[in-house]
Amino acid sequence: MEENDQKTNLIKYLKRVLKKWYLYIGLILSVIEMISRSIGKDINISLNIVFSVYFLGFFFSNYNVYKDMVIESTKKYNDLEIESRKNYSDLLAESTKNYNELLVSIPDEYRPEEPIVNVNLVEGSSYDYSFRKINNHNDQEPKFNMFAIHDGELPCGEIKVNTRVENKSRNQVTITSICGKYNNYYDNSFYDIMLPDILLNGSKVKFPIIIESKCTQTFQLVSSMHPSNLTEAQIAVKTSKKDKLEIDFNVEVYYIYSNNEEHTNNSIFHISLRPFTKMLEDYWVSTGQNEIIKLAKSIKID
């Protein structure tokens, strides 16, 4: 079978070569010489020239036939590829349509379901700030017992973000991890905010945590806050820029649904730093730092 195909292809190739007109230039020269001799006029065409013309004609005939076949094969391949892609697209669209039609006919309790887990801040008490208190080991009331002094100057603080995780799925979900990150706090870096600890009812969470269907669990994401490497005067200047006192808090909840595949819910919340700057102003007032208070309150925004 292959030998017959090869012979057929060879015959087609030779036929195409023989159709090229420049293959016959050498033959035309030979005929011209024969005619000139028959009429008694010898134009004396060299045999070498005739053979050279034959060779060049044969070479260019083969080259052009080969080039034409390559172009035709490429075009045929491209046409087949376009047709194949079109058939694939049509098949995919038809399969999707059939799947959706089949899915509609399946009762709700038997349909494959994607889990529905919502992450939100607790309304009314989304987050709050506090200063860390100094431990009083001498049973004496310190002068500023509500402040934990950092290097003898500014107090350290913390922010607690109350986060509600709601499972709206038909089955339970298993929470494997919760992560929090303040995305742009370096832009407002008068205080450094650490990665949060995850608390549940005031105690550090030990994962996994199971949330039943249609149930909600509230977590506290608590981060410590430490004064950055700026002077108090520089920090006061930064707190005066009220239009820049907002940061993004990114909460990622990792959980497993009934199919044992891990899913992720990524939510971003806007957190205002203004309540904390008000606490800093109260601290400066309580410590009698009038010049710092002027910087914090009287600087105009460009």
Side-chain angles (χ1 to χ4, degrees), residues 76-291:
K76 185 177 180 181
Y77 173 80
N78 291 337
D79 292 342
L80 287 173
E81 186 177 15
I82 293 172
E83 184 67 21
S84 176
R85 288 182 179 179
K86 183 177 181 302
N87 292 338
Y88 174 77
S89 299
D90 294 342
L91 181 62
L92 182 61
E94 184 68 22
S95 299
T96 303
K97 180 182 177 182
N98 293 338
Y99 174 78
N100 291 334
E101 291 175 352
L102 178 63
L103 198 60
V104 169
S105 65
I106 299 175
D108 289 345
E109 59 270 22
Y110 297 112
R111 290 188 193 179
E113 181 200 22
E114 286 295 322
I116 304 174
V117 174
N118 294 334
V119 179
N120 295 289
L121 300 186
V122 175
E123 295 181 4
S125 59
S126 300
Y127 54 90
D128 57 79
Y129 297 92
S130 62
F131 285 126
R132 292 183 176 179
K133 295 181 179 180
I134 297 176
N135 292 325
N136 185 12
H137 298 294
N138 299 323
D139 295 328
Q140 296 178 357
E141 187 71 17
K143 187 175 182 180
F144 304 107
N145 65 335
M146 67 174 293
F147 302 114
I149 306 303
H150 173 77
D151 292 336
E153 294 182 356
L154 283 173
C156 296
E158 70 177 23
I159 175 174
K160 179 174 69 174
V161 181
N162 299 307
T163 306
R164 186 179 72 248
V165 180
E166 183 179 8
N167 177 20
K168 289 189 173 183
S169 312
R170 289 199 304 267
N171 300 306
Q172 69 178 25
V173 296
T174 301
I175 308 297
T176 57
S177 179
I178 299 177
C179 302
K181 181 175 65 175
Y182 291 90
N183 293 337
N184 57 343
Y185 74 88
Y186 284 110
D187 298 336
N188 309 281
S189 56
F190 57 90
Y191 262 68
D192 294 333
I193 306 178
M194 304 295 106
L195 294 176
D197 291 326
I198 314 301
L199 306 182
L200 180 61
N201 299 323
S203 301
K204 194 168 183 179
V205 170
K206 185 177 181 181
F207 294 101
I209 298 291
I210 294 175
I211 303 180
E212 298 294 339
S213 173
K214 314 302 180 183
C215 291
T216 300
Q217 189 65 263
T218 300
F219 299 89
Q220 298 82 43
L221 281 66
V222 182
S223 298
S224 59
M225 304 174 66
H226 305 276
S228 61
N229 294 324
L230 300 174
T231 64
E232 281 192 78
Q234 289 175 308
I235 290 177
V237 170
K238 283 184 173 289
T239 62
S240 70
K241 298 181 179 180
K242 308 298 184 185
D243 61 332
K244 295 184 178 180
L245 297 179
E246 189 174 85
I247 53 178
D248 292 335
F249 185 46
N250 183 21
V251 178
E252 293 180 344
V253 177
Y254 298 87
Y255 60 93
I256 295 175
Y257 195 52
S258 57
N259 55 4
N260 288 328
E261 292 184 3
E262 189 172 54
H263 303 265
T264 306
N265 182 298
N266 192 340
S267 303
I268 296 179
F269 306 103
H270 300 298
I271 304 293
S272 175
L273 290 170
R274 292 182 183 181
F276 187 71
T277 61
K278 181 62 170 63
M279 292 169 59
L280 284 177
E281 290 174 6
D282 293 342
Y283 166 74
W284 286 322
V285 169
S286 66
T287 55
Q289 300 188 63
N290 295 328
E291 295 301 322

Side-chain angles (χ1 to χ4, degrees), residues 17-27 53-54 57-58 61:
V17 169
L18 293 173
K19 288 181 181 180
K20 300 297 181 181
W21 62 268
Y22 29 78
L23 181 66
Y24 302 101
I25 295 177
L27 180 61
V53 172
Y54 268 125
F58 180 77
S61 297

